[in-house]
Amino acid sequence: LPFLIGLREDRLGHLAAAVEDAMEPDLTPPQIGPYTIHEILGEGGQGVVYGATQEAPLRREVAIKLVTSDPRSAGVLDRFEAERLTVARLDHPAIARVFDAGTAPDGRPFFVMERVRGQPITSFADAFRLTTRERLDLFLAVCAGVQHAHQRGVIHRDLKPPNILVSREAEGPRPHIIDFGIARATHDPGEDRLTMTGHL
């Protein structure tokens, strides 16, 4: 096109990216049931996590994980449901809780979790200049959550700083283990074929 002549290559790249973004449909729903969506917190292989506010029956901040893939495609619903059920059966202060689950108006399944306002464990330890003793106390709290999951037959398989968020509580730092998307339930037959999205 004539108006593109003379544009530098880097500017052409920015222009192409902007056009591509504009053409992509926005799949973010403004509302899901009693939950008002505010922002995107993260994206993964099978879903996106939104920050939202629950309006009724009580008002609280939550995180909603919603399937982004076509829910009719093979294995997507199975993997998503497996993650939801895995987290729902865990009940420990060091593991983010599941509050609710359902289906969005467009048919995509979702589940609602505790909203964690925290930092990755390593960033938290550095930002607040934790001593060796304090770091070990935090690590032991994470281990207690992992042990709770193991005792219920759940292996997380993706423990890393971004999946262990730490918040400041009145009683001290509290870790929250999140993202059980590739966890494996050892007692579920056939679970090993449902734990990854498109990878062996």
Side-chain angles (χ1 to χ4, degrees), residues 89-156:
R89 68 173 169 239
L90 302 177
D91 183 16
H92 192 275
I95 297 175
R97 293 169 294 165
V98 168
F99 296 137
D100 193 9
T103 304
D106 61 5
R108 291 182 291 161
F110 69 88
F111 62 89
V112 183
M113 304 168 287
E114 171 186 8
R115 171 72 186 268
V116 179
R117 289 194 176 275
Q119 298 174 261
I121 188 169
T122 48
S123 301
F124 183 94
D126 291 340
F128 291 96
R129 301 177 183 271
L130 299 189
T131 65
T132 300
R133 179 70 258 174
E134 290 169 332
R135 290 170 189 253
L136 289 173
D137 286 342
L138 194 55
F139 181 71
L140 288 173
V142 172
C143 290
V146 172
Q147 181 184 25
H148 172 83
H150 287 179
Q151 289 173 334
R152 281 149 187 79
V154 176
I155 303 172
H156 189 287

Side-chain angles (χ1 to χ4, degrees), residues 23-186:
M23 293 178 66
E24 287 186 1
D26 184 6
L27 300 178
T28 304
Q31 186 90 17
I32 299 179
Y35 307 102
T36 302
I37 306 297
H38 299 302
E39 59 185 320
I40 294 179
L41 300 179
E43 296 183 67
Q46 63 178 345
V48 59
V49 180
Y50 297 105
T53 302
Q54 180 178 353
E55 305 295 345
L58 72 164
R59 185 177 175 82
R60 63 182 169 188
E61 289 188 333
V62 298
I64 299 179
K65 186 164 187 177
L66 179 70
V67 163
T68 50
S69 310
D70 182 352
R72 296 166 297 179
S73 62
V76 169
L77 288 179
D78 289 335
R79 286 189 294 271
F80 194 81
E81 181 67 5
E83 179 184 0
R84 185 184 71 81
L85 293 175
T86 293
V87 182
R89 68 173 169 239
L90 302 177
D91 183 16
H92 192 275
I95 297 175
R97 293 169 294 165
V98 168
F99 296 137
D100 193 9
T103 304
D106 61 5
R108 291 182 291 161
F110 69 88
F111 62 89
V112 183
M113 304 168 287
E114 171 186 8
R115 171 72 186 268
V116 179
R117 289 194 176 275
Q119 298 174 261
I121 188 169
T122 48
S123 301
F124 183 94
D126 291 340
F128 291 96
R129 301 177 183 271
L130 299 189
T131 65
T132 300
R133 179 70 258 174
E134 290 169 332
R135 290 170 189 253
L136 289 173
D137 286 342
L138 194 55
F139 181 71
L140 288 173
V142 172
C143 290
V146 172
Q147 181 184 25
H148 172 83
H150 287 179
Q151 289 173 334
R152 281 149 187 79
V154 176
I155 303 172
H156 189 287
R157 302 206 305 180
D158 196 20
L159 287 172
K160 57 189 178 185
N163 286 341
I164 306 171
L165 301 180
V166 181
S167 61
R168 297 186 71 183
E169 310 286 344
E171 63 276 12
R174 176 187 163 198
H176 308 258
I177 302 170
I178 63 171
D179 198 352
F180 282 76
I182 65 168
R184 178 178 179 184
T186 59

